[in-house]
Each structure stands twice: as C-alpha cells, then as structure tokens.
Amino acid sequence: VLEKTLLLLASVLSLGTLALDNGLMRTPPMGWLAWERFRCDIDCDQDPKNCISENLFTDMADRLSQDGWKDLGYVYVNIDDCWSSKERDKKGRLQPDPKRFPGGIPKLARYMHDRGLKLGIYGDMGTLTCGGYPGTPLDKIDIDAKTFAEWEVDMLKFDGCYSNEVEQQQGYPLMSKALNATGRPIAYSCSWPAYSGGLPPKVNYTQLGEICNLWRNYDDIQDSWDSVLNIIDWFFDNQDVIAPAAGPGRWNDPDMLIVGDFGLSLEQSRTQMALWAIMAAPLFMSNDLRTISAEARSILQNKIAIGINQDPLGFQGRRLVKEKSGIEVFWRQLSNDTSALVFFSRRTDMPYRYKTSLSKLSYPTGYYKIVDVFTQKGSSLKDSADFVVSVNPTGVVMWYVSAPAKLDPNQFHGGGKLKGPASRSDKHGIRRVLL
C-alpha cells in the first residue's frame, strides 16, 4: 500500500506545471444540469417523466434545440448522480443502469451531438458517489476517463463524497491528466474546493486553474432564496481571494440557476441571473424546460445578461458598495472599456430609491450610454450627474454601461429609448451605441 501511495504521489508531483490545455470553456459554459430539480429520482415505474433516465435527457435536449436555448449558448445537457448501475461491468468499467438508459451513454451522446449539443456526465472521487453509486477511487481514474472518452462525453463533473483529503489531493490532478491523455476534449468540473472549505491555505486556486475548467467552491444550491443569498454572500465576502482565480477556461462555479423552479419570486429570479452574470459564473439551469413559465424563460433568455456573462475578457465582477440601507452595488469590467452594474436590494419592505453617481462608483470622466438589462431602455449619463434607481425588495436593477465618450445627450429622445441608427446589437446581443 505504501509503495502504491508513493507511486501515486510521484505521479502527482511529476505533473508540475501541467495546464489543462484543452482549449475549452473560454467563456463560462451554459446548459442544463439535472441535479437540483430532479435529484436522484430513479422511480421510472411511478414517475416516468421525471426519473433520471435517457428520456429525461432527450426531452431536455429537444427543448434546448427547439425553443431557442441552444442559439443563445445553452448547449450542455448534463447528467448528474444516480445514472449508473450499482456494479461495474466484468471489465471493471462503469455502466449505466440498463433499465433507465437502455441505449447506453454513447446513444445519448449521439443524440446530443446530432442536435448541436454536448453531453456532460457525473463521477465521484471516492469509493461511492454521494447517492451511493460506484465512485472513482484512485485505481479507477484511468479506466473511467477512457470510458467517458469512448462514450464521446463532452464534460465531467467530478464530485468528492466518500473520499479524504489525501485522496483528493492526488485524484483531482490525476483525473485532469487522464482526461487529457484520452485525446478527446472533455471539460473538467472539480468539486474539490467545496470539500476543503473553499479558501486558502487548504485550497490552491493557482493549481485549480491549471487542472480544472471550473470548480465548485461552496455548498449545493437549494430551491430557496435563503440558499441563493448564502451563496451570494460567500462569493462576494471572499471576492478578493476567489475572483482573481477566474478567467477564460477556468471559472468559479456558484452552482445552478434555479430560475423557473418553485423557490424564487420574479424579482429574486432576476437577481440570481444578474449576479451570476456579474460573477462570470457557469450558467447551468436546473429546471423543467418542458413546463417553464414565460416569465422565467424571458429572464434566462435575456440576450444582454447572457452577453455580459459571456464577455470574452472573462473578468469576474466585484461588490463595490455595501450600504447600511440594504443596497449593494456590483460591477464587472467588460471588453472594449464597457462594464456592467447591478444595484441589489436586501430590503423586504418596499422599493428603495438609491441615489449615487457614476463618479462615486469610480467611473472616469465622460458621458455614458446606459441600457437597462431587463427593461432594455436606454439613457445617457454624465459621470458627475447624480441619478436615482428604484430597486424592488430582493430585486435588482442591472445596467450595461458603454465606454466613456463625448456623447451628445440629444442622441436620445422621449422615454430614454435609442433612436434607430444610434445603436446596433453586437455578436453578444448587447446593444452598443455607435459613437
């Protein structure tokens, strides 16, 4: 056992400056993930529409490809826990539950690829998955990576239940190396930091950026406002530590979007979408796309919010201001000297009128074109001019802010809407003023 451990340690040390050079996820990944909404429902006899089965994933693929999601960037369809048989096959390989996935994973991958989508799968760096299915201990990492590649899987979420700190230190880098060695580009999501408290010195964010495309830092999201708020607080309270780790190909993951489920109001749904965009977070929805409301769809399909999230600079945004009034202001630097601002209210009483100016938020001198992300109304602001935003309880006002310029305020007319020729949509769906 000691010899085996020393060999594994030697192989980890030999990784040295290994970078996850797979060229994937240069912007935050987008798609759909089963876990929060469908959990470990395996009762296909009593609940055939909602159980973890190939039918659930083909249903979601159909919705992504037919209802406009794929065209906006939502391309991953990700299986989570409870997909496999309770036993490996005779060759030691993982295998899907034959009743729930009769066509096998390769058939599911082909179904996705034929529709321009990608398939994600779930594994666990331990003896068992969190749901009690076969895990991927150290001696199974190579065979499981090869199996996923043979199945033409596009992404692996690697959880950490039933493993210890030493095994995680070895296993997460080894799986990165094993996935790279398959020759198939497989995006790699590590849950490692979430099992180590999410912060240095236990978490080495430099190393994570070298071996993983994204990583879970914190607890699983639940279908509640309290859960969303806890995640927001943790990520922004620790922004000085975690934000610098993010960038093209390597992302902090605050977990799934629960917009369209049961726990969030309309205002809270906008808040989650807005702050996940500010955080450059992966946008993995966990909801039922077959029955989603028009209101939830409009939030998740908001082209300006998606454009901000997908900005190629890959800068993770920050909280600038935390007022005693319960108002907080968040900012994200975007390409071409543009930016995004979010005004968020923690209040639960009534809309709050918050007064500030761009110069107070450290914007340089100039005129700015503002687009409200959720109303899509435009206006012009000088940096020194005070303005008031009315922010609903537990809600947000989100702005896309142009680069500073000598802008003629007369370019705008009644209602703050843009004159026709004064703007166009860029490739990210963001309305940009033609200066």
Side-chain angles (χ1 to χ4, degrees):
V1 175
L2 179 61
E3 185 179 351
K4 189 175 180 183
T5 304
L6 288 171
L7 281 169
L8 284 165
L9 278 171
S11 64
V12 172
L13 291 170
S14 72
L15 296 178
T17 56
L18 167 78
L20 187 67
D21 190 19
N22 59 16
L24 300 175
M25 297 185 170
R26 305 306 292 172
T27 60
M30 300 171 62
W32 183 90
L33 202 162
W35 182 255
E36 199 294 315
R37 176 64 179 79
F38 295 94
R39 306 285 172 141
C40 198
D41 179 355
I42 59 171
D43 189 354
C44 292
D45 293 329
Q46 298 298 318
D47 195 14
K49 280 188 70 69
N50 300 306
C51 66
I52 301 303
S53 69
E54 64 181 40
N55 291 335
L56 179 67
F57 296 99
T58 56
D59 277 358
M60 295 307 161
D62 291 345
R63 299 280 55 81
L64 286 179
S65 60
Q66 294 171 29
D67 296 347
W69 301 99
K70 181 189 78 170
D71 298 335
L72 293 167
Y74 291 99
V75 296
Y76 283 92
V77 180
N78 285 17
I79 303 169
D80 209 274
D81 204 350
C82 310
W83 61 270
S84 75
S85 294
K86 287 283 190 173
E87 304 290 336
R88 289 174 174 265
D89 70 14
K90 290 177 180 177
K91 294 183 177 177
R93 296 173 300 194
L94 293 171
Q95 53 184 342
D97 182 280
K99 182 179 177 184
R100 294 183 285 117
F101 294 87
I105 305 301
K107 180 187 175 186
L108 208 50
R110 282 194 298 275
Y111 195 90
M112 303 305 160
H113 298 158
D114 288 347
R115 285 153 185 79
L117 301 169
K118 297 175 185 291
L119 181 66
I121 205 163
Y122 171 97
D124 185 281
M125 166 64 268
T127 53
L128 297 170
T129 70
C130 300
Y133 290 79
T136 302
L138 295 172
D139 61 350
K140 292 287 193 287
I141 284 175
D142 280 339
I143 193 172
D144 288 357
K146 286 173 185 170
T147 300
F148 298 144
E150 287 167 7
W151 288 347
E152 298 193 329
V153 164
D154 302 292
M155 178 176 172
L156 170 65
K157 175 182 172 182
F158 207 33
D159 215 335
C161 282
Y162 299 101
S163 63
N164 62 40
E165 197 173 313
V166 173
E167 290 164 341
Q168 290 165 15
Q169 286 170 357
Q170 298 171 31
Y172 280 103
L174 285 172
M175 179 56 86
S176 180
K177 188 178 182 183
L179 291 172
N180 274 352
T182 67
R184 179 173 179 78
I186 299 176
Y188 184 33
S189 170
C190 310
S191 297
W192 188 9
Y195 286 87
S196 304
L199 296 171
K202 285 198 168 184
V203 178
N204 181 340
Y205 278 101
T206 302
Q207 182 189 22
L208 279 172
E210 292 171 350
I211 65 169
C212 312
N213 292 112
L214 64 159
W215 47 81
R216 286 283 312 284
N217 315 61
Y218 189 67
D219 298 343
D220 285 1
I221 198 166
Q222 310 297 327
D223 190 11
S224 74
W225 175 238
D226 281 349
S227 177
V228 172
L229 205 50
N230 286 339
I231 290 169
I232 290 167
D233 286 344
W234 189 89
F235 272 78
F236 289 103
D237 286 348
N238 295 297
Q239 63 187 14
D240 290 345
V241 173
I242 65 172
R250 46 188 173 85
W251 309 103
N252 292 299
D253 181 5
D255 212 7
M256 295 160 274
L257 290 165
I258 56 168
V259 177
D261 290 323
F262 312 101
L264 301 188
S265 69
L266 179 66
E267 295 295 335
Q268 292 160 357
S269 297
R270 286 184 179 139
T271 296
Q272 192 191 17
M273 186 67 178
L275 291 180
W276 264 235
I278 287 288
M279 284 190 277
L283 300 182
F284 287 119
M285 306 177 288
S286 192
N287 50 23
D288 193 339
L289 296 174
R290 300 167 297 194
T291 58
I292 192 169
S293 70
E295 283 181 334
R297 184 198 303 256
S298 71
I299 293 168
L300 292 164
Q301 292 192 349
N302 185 298
K303 289 183 179 179
I304 307 178
I306 291 169
I308 289 166
N309 174 266
Q310 295 290 295
D311 184 80
L313 195 63
F315 179 91
Q316 181 170 324
R318 306 174 61 83
R319 182 172 58 204
L320 295 181
V321 176
K322 193 173 184 179
E323 302 279 14
K324 289 180 181 177
S325 62
I327 300 296
E328 298 181 9
V329 184
F330 302 82
W331 163 82
R332 181 177 171 189
Q333 181 66 51
L334 304 174
S335 302
N336 302 317
D337 211 15
T338 62
S339 61
L341 280 173
V342 169
F343 305 91
F344 165 53
S345 175
R346 290 180 172 272
R347 301 175 70 96
T348 56
D349 53 354
M350 61 186 288
Y352 186 85
R353 291 174 58 78
Y354 178 65
K355 182 178 179 181
T356 188
S357 69
L358 291 177
S359 61
K360 288 174 187 170
L361 299 173
S362 301
Y363 276 73
T365 303
Y367 283 95
Y368 293 83
K369 153 64 175 61
I370 306 295
V371 178
D372 185 299
V373 170
F374 292 112
T375 67
Q376 300 193 16
K377 288 182 177 177
S379 58
S380 168
L381 265 182
K382 193 173 189 306
D383 65 286
S384 56
D386 283 346
F387 60 83
V388 174
V389 284
S390 179
V391 193
N392 292 339
T394 68
V396 292
V397 171
M398 186 180 197
W399 286 358
Y400 168 72
V401 185
S402 73
K406 291 177 181 176
L407 183 65
D408 178 5
N410 296 322
Q411 198 169 345
F412 301 93
H413 64 95
K417 291 189 177 179
L418 295 167
K419 288 182 179 176
S423 72
R424 63 175 171 80
S425 291
D426 69 8
K427 66 179 181 179
H428 303 295
I430 294 176
R431 302 286 291 176
R432 293 195 191 276
V433 149
L434 300 178
L435 300 176

